[in-house]
Amino acid sequence: MAQWRQLIDDAYRGQVTEPIMNVDDSRGTHFDAIFLGGGSAGRFGAAVLRSLGGRALVLERWPFLGGSCPHQACVPHHLFSEAAKELDQAQALAGRLWYGKFDPAAASVLELVELFRGQRSGSHAHMNWQSAGQLDIEYIVNTEAIAADARTVRAAGRTFTADALVLCTGSCTAMPGIAGESLPGVFDYASFIEDLDYEPSRIVVIGGSKVAVEYASFYRATGTPTAIVSRGPMLSTGGPGRMDDDLRRFVIDGMRARDVELLEHSTVTRIAGRDRVEAVEITTPDGPRRIEADFVLIATGEKPNVEGFVEALPVARDADGFVAVNSRMQTSIPGVYAAGDLLGPPLEMFKSRRSGTTAARNIMGTDSEFHYADIPDFLHTTYEVCWAGLGEREARQAFGQVVTIQVPPPDLAPGETPLPMAEGSMIYGFTRPERTGFQKCVIDARSRRVVGVHHAGYGAKDAFQYLHYLISRPGGLTIDDLGDMNELYLSPDYFIGYARLRSGQAELTSM
Amino acid sequence: MAQWRQLIDDAYRGQVTEPIMNVDDSRGTHFDAIFLGGGSAGRFGAAVLRSLGGRALVLERWPFLGGSCPHQACVPHHLFSEAAKELDQAQALAGRLWYGKFDPAAASVLELVELFRGQRSGSHAHMNWQSAGQLDIEYIVNTEAIAADARTVRAAGRTFTADALVLCTGSCTAMPGIAGESLPGVFDYASFIEDLDYEPSRIVVIGGSKVAVEYASFYRATGTPTAIVSRGPMLSTGGPGRMDDDLRRFVIDGMRARDVELLEHSTVTRIAGRDRVEAVEITTPDGPRRIEADFVLIATGEKPNVEGFVEALPVARDADGFVAVNSRMQTSIPGVYAAGDLLGPPLEMFKSRRSGTTAARNIMGTDSEFHYADIPDFLHTTYEVCWAGLGEREARQAFGQVVTIQVPPPDLAPGETPLPMAEGSMIYGFTRPERTGFQKCVIDARSRRVVGVHHAGYGAKDAFQYLHYLISRPGGLTIDDLGDMNELYLSPDYFIGYARLRSGQAELTSM
């Protein structure tokens, strides 16, 4: 593992320029499938293809498998969001219990980025190690790969052929074309990780979706003044998962209470500065404004990475340029599949992985479909925020008669009860009860089925994977099924216990 | 809510001695069921009986419903365990990032007990409010209640009758009968909350099960030298849930690494002291030892509270005195049911609640059984530790051919990989990778069914409720089902993603 880390670090610094090969040359250069890109889609696809008895080759330009997630995206985001949670608590409890005075100078964005940059090859090494040892995948990393045709790829100075090709080259930020966006001090999520070399003192985040909310919450939690400029209302992007209105309100009110400046319905007209960013000029509903800033994060959306294949393989693409596939992950060119962020939003790990494995199964002759119209979802502020199924409003539209289980109950003022409390919100329950969280379970009163679950707090994200499965499977999950489960009390979600309180009711009522 | 808090606080201090009544006198004094005891068993039983159209009366000696959980047991334990986690991190990271020097003098056991004591009526008030308003339960709290016969109870100077009686008076510590156990400075979990008025400086915990581990981990995390004296191996009590051997090892090694002194296979011969505890004298496998201590916690087991009914209702009881019931919660006396901790171990919230609701359903004429031979389980150290189903060893005995998914993988040294990482272990992943956690999924290779899940880390406890349901239901959960779920990455448990890596395999192999 230590050798892998060293090799990856050296290669990433440019000290190893030759490709890093894990290929069994004795078996020739023909494969059942070649995965163009070694992120989660390629790696998981190759693993399953191998499991099904096929021979897979993964080609990756970075010196490691796993893609942008452990390098620039999910892993740093989770590190920063955990830091945000801890910093938020350190500020809220400053001078109480064992918490000392909060020193904003000690909380450094740069230090956390440097910590991540310095250690990220730990998980990269794990991916290379696991892919070779546990998953028996053949791969070449630290190499550019170019598709020559639907069965031929050139990489590492060699030519490889396959019965099928899976495109999984990912995506990157689509810069919005704002004047000044290329000034030093303007970053996206990737360059923020790669290039930051100073401590920001005033921050503007451009965008209103998850990435904007997550990074702004982190920056603010370090004590740095932070504004978000969003064209529409925050977190209104909709998409397949539907966040309940009350959950959204709890999340946004929580950000406001922590002095994140939220400028909704506002447009950036210019990023101003001479040698580097000095301010962001915006149009707000109240007129023009200029916000001083020495750091700007662009979080307005993604575009696909098509350079490695688009010339040889002009696959059909959607209006935003993302590759179009059917539910078997087949592109418009026979034998060519696509998977991962190349397919466009939602840019989520399970979609990358499952689209990769769906392609692999079809390539190996197992008919397999993957649909992602209904997905569980989450984001971080200083809370973990999770949702699956329908919000209350959407459920009323769909079912008419709907009951809800809500904690804190709708008729109490914030902080009037310390509930919900569980791991991560216990200390708040006894010191700052308005901060413990919010949860809502939405039930179709007629069928008694749970049709939506919504949670802001801590410790429920893992459960939402299974809750989503349970409420989405045929037959679904009724309030009575839920009430007959065995909760692990105090549970981060109170759904089981509260469902039990109502499970005998002939005419369900809300609580 | 504020009025409820004031009334509960006054009553608990003895300033309100009359019973606090929420009874509809216009409906007379006869009920479908009377619940003797207003803890979770009585409160949930009454709520469901009410849902089913019945009239329930709950009688409780404390001035609030909810029982020992929010008063002396689960809620303070969760508060202290969260403090333990935060304090552990503050020590591990002292002088790094925004963490200052760790000052053990600032971390006070007494201060946390006082914080809890001062604020606990917040959740008590919620219970009284919810029970009256949302659940429409009639109750009298702040009163002793005595069963006169199987249909008659006297409380608050009045006599109430019912078609059925549900005994749910709970349990308390069974003192082990050690010389010196009544010295000042010797506590159990209840008197520790009620009576502590000094800062302990050297602690001995007597017992080897969950409570011992949880409280010792908290004491140690405040910087206080702490020893555990256990007759057998730690956490070996077995019981329905089976903790995997490797999980147990990770947990115990983690406590040792944090300098909790673990004295296994050791017996206390005497608690020594003149006016108060000064030391604990024990016999160890290496001979006798004397451990200086100014605080001793007895955590050796429970006995039932039978005073309120045993004379009039001599129900059959087991060897330890706990009330014997069948799967419908019926005691040996017709019309008399029992529920909650009165039934003996496992003393878990879901068992209390479900035994109460099972009694209620049967009383209202719905045939209903509750079995708890197979349960999910958890405990806290500075980690959240959860398990459900079989450990690897038990699974091998049951199924022969077993595969496992384990993170970190069995062939890596502690800290060699930062995985698993997710919420709560991200900062450790980048600073102290040996601390991120441990997880194992046990699979019967032939049926491909998941038969056990085991986790030490953060954020998975809520999920284990649903995982237990999924693996225990008819048909169970196969590795292929698991691999087709949508994970919320980075997930606190890695089971879905890793199952997907193996889901195509004809002959499953471990990883």
Side-chain angles (χ1 to χ4, degrees):
Chain A
M1 201 66 80
Q3 288 175 327
W4 266 126
R5 286 195 70 159
Q6 192 61 52
L7 184 58
I8 292 165
D9 283 337
D10 290 348
Y12 199 72
R13 279 193 296 259
Q15 292 162 4
V16 174
T17 51
E18 62 270 29
I20 300 167
M21 316 268 293
N22 178 56
V23 176
D24 181 358
D25 282 326
S26 71
R27 299 183 63 197
T29 57
H30 187 76
F31 295 83
D32 291 287
I34 294 174
F35 293 82
L36 213 63
S40 46
R43 206 175 80 91
F44 271 67
V48 165
L49 193 121
R50 190 73 202 89
S51 282
L52 293 170
R55 188 182 182 206
L57 177 65
V58 181
L59 300 170
E60 169 58 46
R61 70 185 163 99
W62 277 332
F64 51 85
L65 298 175
S68 61
C69 161
H71 198 59
Q72 295 166 338
C74 350
V75 175
H77 144 214
H78 276 73
L79 174 64
F80 301 151
S81 292
E82 182 175 313
K85 190 261 181 189
E86 294 293 330
L87 284 164
D88 186 53
Q89 191 154 327
Q91 286 167 74
L93 300 174
R96 297 189 68 166
L97 300 170
W98 61 89
Y99 292 90
K101 204 166 158 295
F102 182 75
D103 175 10
S108 158
V109 171
L110 178 62
E111 188 179 11
L112 273 156
V113 169
E114 286 174 339
L115 176 67
F116 174 72
R117 259 193 321 236
Q119 298 299 324
R120 63 182 165 181
S121 58
S123 36
H124 298 349
H126 192 104
M127 297 294 154
N128 285 7
W129 171 85
Q130 182 191 62
S131 301
Q134 295 192 314
L135 303 178
D136 196 22
I137 299 172
E138 293 177 77
Y139 58 81
I140 308 176
V141 295
N142 209 33
T143 185
E144 292 293 336
I146 301 289
D149 62 39
R151 304 168 69 100
T152 313
V153 178
R154 299 215 169 81
R158 297 167 65 179
T159 299
F160 301 95
T161 58
D163 294 342
L165 209 58
V166 186
L167 311 174
C168 26
T169 45
S171 67
C172 62
T173 298
M175 294 302 279
I178 299 168
E181 70 182 22
S182 53
L183 277 172
V186 180
F187 298 86
D188 70 356
Y189 67 91
S191 61
F192 165 59
I193 299 293
E194 300 304 323
D195 301 335
L196 188 74
D197 61 358
Y198 65 99
E199 186 64 34
S201 66
R202 282 196 67 90
I203 293 176
V204 172
V205 175
I206 301 175
S209 64
K210 285 207 256 182
V211 176
V213 162
E214 288 167 338
Y215 278 80
S217 295
F218 162 56
Y219 300 145
R220 181 65 199 128
T222 65
T224 314
T226 302
I228 302 183
V229 182
S230 169
R231 274 203 292 207
M234 299 290 306
L235 297 175
S236 64
T237 47
R242 292 159 195 93
M243 196 178 194
D244 180 80
D245 294 339
D246 290 326
L247 180 68
R248 179 175 170 274
R249 195 171 304 124
F250 179 88
V251 169
I252 290 177
D253 287 353
M255 293 178 73
R256 284 218 177 85
R258 287 157 177 85
D259 292 326
V260 179
E261 189 176 13
L262 302 183
L263 297 152
E264 298 177 289
H265 306 289
S266 299
T267 323
V268 177
T269 48
R270 192 169 78 102
I271 300 173
R274 191 179 302 257
D275 304 317
R276 50 180 301 107
V277 62
E278 289 165 18
V280 177
E281 294 172 4
I282 65 173
T283 308
T284 78
D286 305 321
R289 234 187 99 178
R290 179 185 159 93
I291 315 172
E292 305 296 318
D294 62 356
F295 178 103
V296 172
L297 186 82
I298 305 268
T300 48
E302 293 281 291
K303 66 175 186 184
N305 298 323
V306 299
E307 300 73 24
F309 63 82
V310 73
E311 206 166 315
L313 301 170
V315 291
R317 293 156 68 191
D318 71 13
D320 296 317
F322 292 105
V323 174
V325 292
N326 62 16
S327 59
R328 292 176 177 80
M329 307 303 125
Q330 292 164 320
T331 69
S332 60
I333 299 181
V336 178
Y337 295 73
D341 290 349
L342 203 52
L343 311 182
L347 307 175
E348 299 294 344
M349 178 55 84
F350 74 85
K351 203 195 80 180
S352 286
R353 290 172 167 182
R354 288 191 65 187
S355 57
T357 60
T358 301
R361 288 180 190 170
N362 283 293
I363 291 166
M364 293 304 292
T366 308
D367 187 46
S368 177
E369 292 185 72
F370 175 41
H371 299 273
Y372 42 90
D374 172 49
I375 64 167
D377 211 347
F378 79 98
L379 61 81
H380 289 99
T381 56
T382 50
Y383 294 99
E384 301 162 25
V385 183
C386 312
W387 62 100
L390 302 178
E392 184 180 346
R393 182 164 46 82
E394 292 80 10
R396 282 193 199 289
Q397 286 162 7
F399 300 107
Q401 206 187 334
V402 159
V403 296
T404 57
I405 289 170
Q406 191 175 309
V407 195
D411 33 1
L412 296 185
E416 198 173 350
T417 176
L419 304 187
M421 273 193 283
E423 284 86 353
S425 57
M426 294 304 305
I427 298 172
Y428 279 153
F430 285 83
T431 56
R432 302 283 301 264
E434 77 285 3
R435 288 194 169 211
T436 54
F438 173 86
Q439 39 192 273
K440 187 191 278 190
C441 182
V442 183
I443 299 135
D444 169 19
R446 256 178 296 250
S447 70
R448 304 177 76 85
R449 278 181 64 161
V450 175
V451 296
V453 280
H454 305 272
H455 193 281
Y458 307 99
K461 194 180 96 179
D462 209 40
F464 267 64
Q465 306 172 129
Y466 303 106
L467 272 168
H468 175 256
Y469 173 80
L470 286 164
I471 71 176
S472 307
R473 66 186 173 157
L477 180 77
T478 67
I479 188 170
D480 311 289
D481 298 332
L482 191 58
D484 270 345
M485 293 187 191
N486 296 324
E487 68 271 42
L488 295 177
Y489 193 77
L490 304 181
S491 334
D493 86 63
Y494 282 28
F495 300 147
I496 296 176
Y498 277 46
R500 182 175 302 133
L501 286 170
R502 284 300 192 230
S503 60
Q505 255 189 345
E507 295 284 318
L508 288 175
T509 52
S510 291
M511 62 185 290
Chain B
M1 201 64 80
Q3 289 174 327
W4 265 126
R5 287 194 68 159
Q6 190 61 53
L7 183 59
I8 292 164
D9 284 337
D10 290 348
Y12 199 72
R13 279 193 295 259
Q15 292 161 5
V16 174
T17 52
E18 62 270 29
I20 301 168
M21 316 268 292
N22 179 55
V23 176
D24 182 356
D25 282 327
S26 72
R27 298 183 65 196
T29 57
H30 187 77
F31 294 82
D32 291 289
I34 295 175
F35 293 82
L36 214 63
S40 46
R43 205 174 81 91
F44 272 66
V48 165
L49 192 121
R50 190 76 202 86
S51 281
L52 293 170
R55 187 180 182 209
L57 178 65
V58 180
L59 300 170
E60 170 57 46
R61 71 186 164 97
W62 277 332
F64 51 85
L65 298 175
S68 61
C69 160
H71 199 59
Q72 296 166 338
C74 348
V75 176
H77 144 214
H78 276 74
L79 174 64
F80 302 151
S81 292
E82 182 175 313
K85 188 262 182 189
E86 294 293 331
L87 284 163
D88 187 52
Q89 192 155 325
Q91 286 167 72
L93 300 174
R96 297 188 69 165
L97 300 169
W98 61 89
Y99 292 91
K101 204 166 157 293
F102 181 75
D103 175 9
S108 159
V109 172
L110 178 62
E111 188 179 11
L112 273 156
V113 169
E114 286 174 338
L115 175 67
F116 174 73
R117 262 195 316 239
Q119 298 299 324
R120 65 180 163 181
S121 59
S123 36
H124 298 347
H126 192 104
M127 297 293 153
N128 285 6
W129 171 86
Q130 182 191 62
S131 302
Q134 295 191 314
L135 304 178
D136 196 22
I137 299 173
E138 294 177 75
Y139 58 80
I140 309 176
V141 297
N142 209 33
T143 186
E144 290 295 334
I146 301 289
D149 62 37
R151 303 167 69 101
T152 314
V153 178
R154 301 213 167 83
R158 296 166 66 179
T159 299
F160 300 96
T161 58
D163 294 342
L165 209 58
V166 187
L167 310 174
C168 25
T169 46
S171 68
C172 62
T173 299
M175 293 302 280
I178 299 167
E181 70 183 22
S182 53
L183 278 173
V186 180
F187 298 86
D188 70 355
Y189 67 92
S191 61
F192 166 59
I193 300 292
E194 300 305 322
D195 302 334
L196 188 73
D197 60 359
Y198 64 100
E199 187 64 33
S201 67
R202 282 196 67 88
I203 294 177
V204 172
V205 175
I206 302 174
S209 63
K210 285 207 253 182
V211 176
V213 162
E214 290 170 335
Y215 279 79
S217 293
F218 162 55
Y219 300 145
R220 182 63 200 129
T222 66
T224 313
T226 302
I228 301 183
V229 182
S230 170
R231 274 204 291 207
M234 298 291 305
L235 297 174
S236 64
T237 48
R242 292 159 196 92
M243 195 178 196
D244 180 79
D245 294 339
D246 289 326
L247 180 68
R248 180 175 170 274
R249 195 171 304 124
F250 180 88
V251 168
I252 291 178
D253 287 352
M255 293 178 72
R256 284 219 178 85
R258 286 156 177 88
D259 291 326
V260 179
E261 190 177 10
L262 302 183
L263 296 152
E264 297 176 290
H265 307 288
S266 299
T267 322
V268 177
T269 48
R270 192 168 79 102
I271 300 173
R274 190 179 303 256
D275 304 317
R276 53 179 300 108
V277 62
E278 289 165 18
V280 177
E281 294 172 3
I282 65 173
T283 308
T284 77
D286 305 321
R289 234 188 99 178
R290 179 185 160 93
I291 315 173
E292 306 296 318
D294 63 356
F295 177 103
V296 172
L297 186 81
I298 305 268
T300 48
E302 293 280 291
K303 65 174 185 185
N305 298 324
V306 299
E307 301 72 24
F309 63 82
V310 72
E311 208 167 313
L313 300 170
V315 291
R317 293 156 68 192
D318 71 14
D320 296 317
F322 292 105
V323 174
V325 291
N326 63 17
S327 60
R328 293 175 176 81
M329 306 303 125
Q330 293 165 320
T331 69
S332 59
I333 298 180
V336 178
Y337 296 73
D341 291 350
L342 204 51
L343 311 182
L347 307 174
E348 298 293 345
M349 178 55 85
F350 75 83
K351 204 195 79 181
S352 286
R353 291 172 165 181
R354 288 191 67 187
S355 57
T357 60
T358 302
R361 288 179 189 171
N362 283 294
I363 291 166
M364 293 305 291
T366 310
D367 186 47
S368 177
E369 293 184 72
F370 174 41
H371 298 272
Y372 42 88
D374 172 48
I375 63 169
D377 212 345
F378 78 98
L379 62 82
H380 289 100
T381 56
T382 50
Y383 294 99
E384 302 161 25
V385 183
C386 310
W387 62 102
L390 303 178
E392 183 179 347
R393 183 164 45 84
E394 292 80 10
R396 283 194 198 288
Q397 284 161 8
F399 300 107
Q401 206 188 334
V402 159
V403 296
T404 58
I405 289 170
Q406 188 175 312
V407 195
D411 33 1
L412 295 185
E416 199 173 350
T417 177
L419 305 187
M421 272 194 285
E423 284 87 351
S425 56
M426 294 304 305
I427 299 173
Y428 278 154
F430 285 83
T431 56
R432 302 283 301 264
E434 78 286 3
R435 288 194 169 210
T436 53
F438 174 85
Q439 39 192 273
K440 187 193 276 189
C441 183
V442 182
I443 298 134
D444 168 20
R446 255 177 297 249
S447 70
R448 304 177 76 86
R449 278 182 65 162
V450 175
V451 295
V453 279
H454 305 271
H455 192 281
Y458 306 100
K461 194 179 96 178
D462 209 40
F464 266 64
Q465 308 173 130
Y466 303 107
L467 271 168
H468 175 255
Y469 173 79
L470 287 164
I471 70 174
S472 305
R473 67 186 173 157
L477 180 77
T478 66
I479 189 170
D480 310 290
D481 298 333
L482 192 58
D484 270 346
M485 294 188 190
N486 296 325
E487 68 271 42
L488 295 176
Y489 192 77
L490 306 180
S491 334
D493 86 63
Y494 282 28
F495 300 147
I496 296 175
Y498 276 47
R500 182 174 301 131
L501 286 171
R502 284 301 192 229
S503 61
Q505 253 188 347
E507 295 284 318
L508 288 174
T509 53
S510 292
M511 63 185 290

